[in-house]
Amino acid sequence: MKQAIYILFLCLSFATAASFGQNRYAGVDLDVVCFYRDSGKVKVEVFYSFLQKDIKLIETEANRWQADINAKVTILQGDNLLVSRVINKPFSLTGTKVDVEKSRMLYIVDVVPFLIDNPENALIQFEINLQDSSGKTYTEKLEKRISVPIKTELRPTFGGVLLASELTQTDRNESPFEKAGYYFTANPSNTFGSDYGTLYLYTELFLPGSLVNNNDSITINTIILDPTSRELLKKTQRISASMPIVPYIASLSIDGLPSDSYYLTITAEHGTEVIAKVQKVF
């Protein structure tokens, strides 16, 4: 991507939330993806996005620009505070003033990971302070209910679904953007679209011990439905059932789909039976 050459510091990517404040910035979005871990805990990944134009960049030296990101993520379960984290980090770009102006409509995406015992019915509250190019400061607030598939010892369970606009091979596994040997250029579901012609996704299938078998496989169907639940696209893959946690990566060509809300449905079949299902709106 052309845009990537400008990003110097802050592990970021390009980008369903409900605002509990006045939404002044259309680029501010929030997505939450959850995955079970062997420890029994749930990894909660909170992805947030904003537009580059909504932060005030200061030229610290020739062709180097910087802004400070100030945000806060809180997880509540009823009246109980599970965790709260303040985000203070620099965002840097390199390029001429013309380069920076050309990239002002790019989405900036960051992620905050948490490891929680039981986030069922928990609520994510997100707050970010933005200073636009005129110097005016606003506070944007969003919230989203955590959706955690119910995991049992009898049936398989999908984790959450991470959407991405680009996939790059990597040998690292140091951030939530890096999964199963790939770097996912994350893109929260409300902002997915623009000029992206391919939808990439990542999820995990958790298998009970009775189904883990080196000699067996499971069929995964990835389907896009329109708002009337009419099937538009479908991709079928077979994956090995050799591990208790099976990563699943897929790509779908969405070039030509009109702007709308769509249902992304992923099903797992063993034999003729659908054994797991997960759905996400984008």
Side-chain angles (χ1 to χ4, degrees):
M1 289 183 298
K2 299 177 188 175
Q3 301 94 314
I5 63 173
Y6 303 120
I7 297 180
L8 283 181
F9 183 68
L10 180 59
C11 186
L12 297 173
S13 173
F14 289 92
T16 306
S19 173
F20 61 94
Q22 184 181 357
N23 195 327
R24 299 179 176 87
Y25 294 94
V28 178
D29 195 10
L30 186 66
D31 200 7
V32 182
V33 184
C34 300
F35 300 104
Y36 284 101
R37 288 292 165 254
D38 290 333
S39 62
K41 293 181 179 291
V42 176
K43 186 176 184 182
V44 179
E45 298 175 348
V46 181
F47 292 85
Y48 64 92
S49 70
F50 54 91
L51 288 172
Q52 181 183 306
K53 73 177 183 63
D54 292 330
I55 55 175
K56 185 176 178 61
L57 289 163
I58 298 174
E59 191 172 19
T60 56
E61 55 183 283
N63 294 334
R64 290 182 180 268
W65 309 78
Q66 183 170 308
D68 292 324
I69 308 303
N70 298 298
K72 182 179 180 180
V73 178
T74 302
I75 303 182
L76 300 169
Q77 199 169 49
D79 295 328
N80 298 323
L81 174 64
L82 294 185
V83 64
S84 182
R85 188 175 300 172
V86 174
I87 304 161
N88 289 311
K89 60 202 306 184
F91 169 69
S92 299
L93 300 176
T94 183
T96 66
K97 187 174 182 178
V98 173
D99 292 332
V100 171
E101 182 62 25
K102 286 180 179 178
S103 62
R104 65 192 302 270
M105 293 305 295
L106 297 183
Y107 283 100
I108 309 303
V109 183
D110 197 13
V111 58
V112 188
F114 300 90
L115 203 59
I116 297 175
D117 287 319
N118 176 27
E120 187 175 355
N121 294 321
L123 182 71
I124 300 283
Q125 290 187 339
F126 172 72
E127 178 179 311
I128 187 169
N129 298 310
L130 297 169
Q131 186 180 38
D132 62 24
S133 57
S134 70
K136 185 177 292 185
T137 300
Y138 294 103
T139 298
E140 191 69 26
K141 299 180 179 181
L142 301 173
E143 64 181 22
K144 187 176 181 69
R145 184 71 60 182
I146 294 180
S147 176
V148 186
I150 298 175
K151 182 183 177 185
T152 74
E153 297 304 319
L154 300 176
R155 294 186 65 85
T157 307
F158 276 112
V161 180
L162 172 64
L163 302 183
S165 55
E166 187 169 318
L167 207 58
T168 309
Q169 283 191 309
T170 178
D171 56 2
R172 304 187 314 169
N173 188 25
E174 300 175 2
S175 83
F177 292 112
E178 297 164 335
K179 300 180 186 296
Y182 290 91
Y183 183 94
F184 288 79
T185 302
N187 193 313
S189 56
N190 270 358
T191 55
F192 199 97
S194 188
D195 295 326
Y196 306 124
T198 304
L199 171 67
Y200 298 94
L201 64 94
Y202 175 87
T203 188
E204 295 173 354
L205 182 64
F206 304 90
L207 297 178
S210 60
L211 282 181
V212 177
N213 186 337
N214 287 331
N215 300 316
D216 203 357
S217 62
I218 292 172
T219 300
I220 306 293
N221 297 304
T222 306
I223 305 165
I224 291 181
L225 306 172
D226 71 9
T228 67
S229 295
R230 180 171 61 97
E231 183 178 304
L232 301 177
L233 298 169
K234 182 176 181 178
K235 187 169 190 175
T236 299
Q237 299 182 62
R238 293 189 68 82
I239 61 174
S240 171
S242 60
M243 300 181 293
I245 300 179
V246 183
Y248 176 66
I249 299 170
S251 64
L252 288 166
S253 175
I254 58 171
D255 196 23
L257 288 182
S259 296
D260 207 336
S261 293
Y262 296 94
Y263 297 101
L264 175 66
T265 302
I266 305 172
T267 63
E269 296 179 1
H270 189 242
T272 59
E273 181 187 6
V274 175
I275 56 176
K277 180 179 178 179
V278 66
Q279 189 171 73
K280 184 166 188 168
V281 177
F282 74 97

